[in-house]
Amino acid sequence: MCGIVGISAQRDVTSDLLSGLKALEYRGYDSAGIALLTERGMQRLRAKGKVRDLQSLQAQTRLSGVVGIAHTRWATHGVPSEANAHPHVSGDGLSVVHNGIIENHAELRAELQAAGFSFTSQTDTEVIAHLVEQLQRNGAGLLEAVTAATKRLHGAYAIVVMSAREPGLLVGARRGSPLVLGYGDDENYLASDIHALLPLTRRFVYLAEGDVVELRRDGVRILDERGASVERPVKESSFSLDAVERGEYRHYMLKEIHEQPQSVADTLEGRISGGRVLPGIFGSGADEILAKVKQVQIIACGTSFHAGLVARYWIESLAGIPCHTEIASEFRYRQPVVAPDTLFITISQSGETADTLAALRMAKERDYAARLAICNVPEASLVRESDLVLMTRAGPEIGVASTKAFSTQLSALALLALRLAETRGIDAQRYAAAIADLEVLPGLIRDALQLDAEIKSLAEQFVDKQHALFLGRGTQFPIALEGALKLKEISYIHAEGYPAGELKHGPLALVDETMPVIAVAPNDALLDKLKSNMEEVRARGGQLYVFCDTRIRHGMGEGHVLELPACGEIAAPVLFNVPLQLLAYHVAVLRGTDVDQPRNLAKSVTVE
Ligand code: G6P
């Protein structure tokens, strides 16, 4: 992953580079660095830890410059350390920041070492610095050298390179990792995404695969992968800065949990009317494709994968269409057999997750009916490379643990399942109930958020736990998985999600009086089965925590039972996930972890 920023201007750009990095910390935060061109040549500062550590260092040294590049890292090759932090340098004034993975770095390293270059880090990135330097020494200008160097790189990269030999010039290049170009007033910018640049400009170009850009404060030239000058469309961003600020909330995650009523309402807006999912919401020609679909293959990672698992239940039960959901990193390395008229769906908050993108690219080589992306970032690679798109409208999600993106993905997937169901002739009453469910969903989430104080006090019972088990059945099984993922991601308590019926085949052996078991119990057809599984836990002295539909409270027995508003089958997975998010959040706060930036993780995983 990693976040990169570059600015060429005529004023001191140090603080803008650092605040740009702060906005990119969701991409990685184990070390950070900056290189600036100063009167004394290229100067570099690097620090292990977060951007704030680099900021303190900068405040002590008062380093400044009018042209610079900066980086926040998520370690792939080499431990988090100052020596491995970017920018990496070569010769007398060449510096590089990189996001991605260079797969042939070992071979290039050996070649460059044989040519006399010595390496000071364990990173794959350092080979880029020496490669460009070598080409420059052989007479190439910076643009030419970077272009030639990229031809030798296998893997994924977004890079920005600066050379003291050509002051004022930054050269950027991308393949497989994102890079945007921002236009300012007598200054220009490059960054991993627009959030880093929003305080500086609203005018952006999303660079295409293989693009190389020559950027100076007073002009920019983009070359495509064949080396021809190209114009790429300039987009005006209407993102409000408030959307990426934390406001009154202690953490982004808490803010984003509380934004869910609005983001779900936004995702549904203009897509349901007169008691039905409107045709045409998947783009022109989509309805004809959807009407012919005989199978569905869903691909995603992490939390998005859990949304895909819920969708499988919906698509099969509402539309009667076989549906498979698979983790992208597995799918991309097997040889899937594609049945005729299969719709290929990717789900991704960022639209840049490397494995999901690779799976999509593989699907493009195969005979799928169409490729549909469900994504939260309009200009993401996934969106641009898919045939059909349904945008979630969660707005920027900054907390590494995904919350509102998940609720909006489920809302979008419910629309898809219902659209497919309508073309297959679903029972009218069931359809009407499902639509009604979606219409009240934002209000139900708002009600569920009222449980916050109660969950906060419940969280105290989890602080000293080592393990936790989450149970659910049907569409609540993926919610159990998601509840467990949230808890482990941010509180570092080992947690597992299980289909409740599977308890007796193994995990029951773990249950004793020290093991908290969390069950999600909506008022559905599987309730009695779930109750039997809960009894199995009680009988072993396990500590049961139940989140149930208020209508079935009396049947839940004694102990910790929290009531959720009454809801139908479509609302249930979205709604029951909310208290699990709050539980994970409060446990993490009590344990004093870094809630928004949990250790070892990153939000946008643009490496394999
Ligand atoms: C990372 C994030 C998760 C996210 C997953 C997939 O692991 O920390 O929150 O669910 O990537 O990301 P995507 O952007 O494809 O939904």
Side-chain angles (χ1 to χ4, degrees):
M1 282 79 75
C2 309
I4 59 186
V5 197
I7 305 180
S8 181
Q10 250 186 325
R11 58 179 179 90
D12 178 19
V13 295
T14 320
S15 69
D16 283 334
L17 284 169
L18 293 170
S19 48
L21 281 192
K22 276 215 83 69
L24 294 176
E25 261 192 325
Y26 73 90
R27 305 179 64 84
Y29 35 79
D30 62 44
S31 55
I34 185 169
L36 290 153
L37 272 188
T38 72
E39 285 150 6
R40 288 168 289 139
M42 195 269 294
Q43 302 280 318
R44 171 174 67 155
L45 283 181
R46 297 179 297 167
K48 180 168 184 252
K50 300 211 171 180
V51 173
R52 63 167 179 262
D53 300 306
L54 181 66
Q55 281 172 320
S56 319
L57 200 61
Q58 191 273 330
Q60 288 158 28
T61 59
R62 296 172 184 273
L63 187 69
S64 66
V66 297
V67 186
I69 58 178
H71 186 271
T72 178
R73 178 168 185 251
W74 186 81
T76 58
H77 296 68
V79 295
S81 67
E82 191 186 326
N84 286 332
H86 301 214
H88 289 288
V89 300
S90 185
D92 190 18
L94 184 107
S95 56
V96 178
V97 285
H98 165 225
N99 166 30
I101 286 185
I102 306 305
E103 288 171 357
N104 57 336
H105 72 99
E107 173 193 322
L108 292 171
R109 178 182 276 250
E111 179 188 314
L112 288 158
Q113 276 168 333
F117 287 96
S118 51
F119 282 72
T120 57
S121 79
Q122 302 159 302
T123 66
D124 52 340
T125 304
E126 200 178 346
V127 299
I128 308 175
H130 296 316
L131 206 51
V132 175
E133 173 68 15
Q134 188 183 44
L135 288 153
Q136 279 199 314
R137 284 183 194 168
N138 292 339
L142 186 62
L143 177 69
E144 197 191 334
V146 172
T147 309
T150 57
K151 304 274 183 257
R152 307 238 14 234
L153 305 178
H154 301 166
Y157 57 81
I159 54 175
V160 184
V161 189
M162 180 172 80
S163 168
R165 290 195 182 94
E166 294 180 60
L169 172 64
L170 296 180
V171 177
R174 73 153 290 204
R175 182 178 297 283
S177 300
L179 191 62
V180 297
L181 162 65
Y183 289 100
D185 190 7
D186 203 21
E187 55 190 54
N188 292 306
Y189 326 101
L190 285 164
S192 296
D193 88 21
I194 65 169
H195 297 129
L197 305 176
L198 280 176
L200 301 171
T201 183
R202 297 285 157 150
R203 296 173 59 233
F204 299 103
V205 162
Y206 293 86
L207 294 170
E209 281 289 277
D211 278 356
V212 176
V213 50
E214 182 184 32
L215 179 143
R216 293 186 171 81
R217 70 170 171 76
D218 54 357
V220 171
R221 192 157 67 107
I222 305 171
L223 306 171
D224 68 11
E225 59 186 338
R226 289 167 302 126
S229 270
V230 278
E231 297 287 325
R232 301 267 179 236
V234 179
K235 310 267 178 170
E236 289 277 340
S237 167
S238 55
F239 260 147
S240 106
L241 272 179
D242 291 353
V244 289
E245 269 160 18
R246 197 153 37 84
E248 71 201 67
Y249 291 95
R250 182 166 170 198
H251 295 101
Y252 278 109
M253 182 181 178
L254 189 62
K255 174 178 182 243
E256 288 156 7
I257 289 172
H258 282 274
E259 281 171 349
Q260 290 178 109
Q262 190 57 51
S263 37
V264 166
D266 291 344
T267 299
L268 298 174
E269 194 197 312
R271 291 167 168 172
I272 303 178
S273 180
R276 64 187 291 231
V277 175
L278 292 175
I281 63 169
F282 299 94
S284 74
D287 289 304
E288 291 71 26
I289 297 169
L290 295 185
K292 284 193 229 135
V293 164
K294 294 206 180 70
Q295 270 208 45
V296 175
Q297 173 71 64
I298 299 178
I299 295 298
C301 302
T303 290
S304 300
F305 169 68
H306 296 154
L309 287 177
V310 173
R312 177 182 189 196
Y313 289 87
W314 283 341
I315 290 170
E316 298 206 330
S317 96
L318 294 165
I321 300 174
C323 176
H324 301 281
T325 302
E326 191 171 349
I327 286 182
S329 55
E330 284 301 312
F331 176 84
R332 64 179 288 198
Y333 289 114
R334 63 181 182 88
Q335 302 296 317
V337 177
V338 184
D341 301 313
T342 300
L343 175 66
F344 183 85
I345 301 177
T346 51
I347 308 171
S348 174
Q349 188 285 126
S350 63
E352 301 291 350
T353 301
D355 285 317
T356 309
L357 257 179
L360 169 65
R361 288 173 186 156
M362 177 173 139
K364 288 170 97 167
E365 311 280 296
R366 290 167 198 247
D367 200 15
Y368 285 99
R371 290 130 211 105
L372 164 68
I374 297 196
C375 188
N376 193 41
V377 178
E379 298 300 336
S381 306
L382 202 72
V383 172
R384 283 181 278 147
E385 295 182 29
S386 296
D387 313 311
L388 309 173
V389 171
L390 186 64
M391 296 308 302
T392 53
R393 298 173 184 150
E397 192 183 62
I398 311 290
V400 165
S402 185
T403 52
K404 62 177 180 170
F406 181 68
S407 305
T408 57
Q409 285 167 348
L410 288 178
S411 309
L413 287 160
L415 294 173
L416 173 69
L418 287 167
R419 184 84 205 106
L420 287 168
E422 200 183 338
T423 60
R424 305 302 187 283
I426 180 181
D427 169 72
Q429 227 178 338
R430 192 166 175 211
Y431 185 80
I435 295 283
D437 229 17
L438 281 177
E439 284 171 337
V440 297
L441 184 54
L444 291 176
I445 300 174
R446 206 165 281 124
D447 294 345
L449 288 168
Q450 302 298 319
L451 288 172
D452 192 37
E454 219 177 320
I455 293 172
K456 190 173 176 184
S457 80
L458 198 70
E460 286 167 18
Q461 302 186 27
F462 285 74
V463 178
D464 301 322
K465 298 292 178 202
Q466 305 287 322
H467 310 277
L469 202 54
F470 288 71
L471 300 179
R473 299 190 78 127
T475 55
Q476 297 296 330
F477 160 47
I479 298 310
L481 291 175
E482 176 60 11
L485 175 64
K486 228 50 354 162
L487 189 69
K488 70 184 130 190
E489 275 182 315
I490 60 169
S491 76
Y492 316 149
I493 293 175
H494 167 233
E496 287 193 60
Y498 251 86
E502 191 66 8
L503 189 64
K504 53 190 174 289
H505 296 294
L508 201 53
L510 299 172
V511 173
D512 61 15
E513 51 292 344
T514 66
M515 173 69 104
V517 180
I518 298 104
V520 268
N523 186 18
D524 64 14
L526 294 166
L527 179 61
D528 287 336
K529 308 275 178 210
L530 178 71
K531 279 180 158 157
S532 310
N533 304 136
M534 284 162 42
E535 287 311 320
E536 291 161 10
V537 172
R538 284 202 176 98
R540 272 89 189 164
Q543 299 174 19
L544 204 52
Y545 297 83
V546 186
F547 294 93
C548 74
D549 183 309
T550 183
R551 291 167 294 182
I552 55 166
R553 168 66 185 92
H554 63 276
M556 288 296 118
E558 291 308 302
H560 311 286
V561 181
L562 274 77
E563 295 172 50
L564 282 150
C567 71
E569 63 172 335
I570 298 292
V574 186
L575 196 64
F576 278 73
N577 186 50
V578 172
L580 305 190
Q581 295 171 339
L582 288 169
L583 180 67
Y585 173 77
H586 288 301
V587 174
V589 170
L590 289 172
R591 285 168 67 97
T593 62
D594 192 341
V595 172
D596 284 332
Q597 296 177 340
R599 69 184 181 202
N600 305 341
L601 301 181
K603 183 140 197 80
S604 183
V605 184
T606 54
V607 296
E608 249 201 88

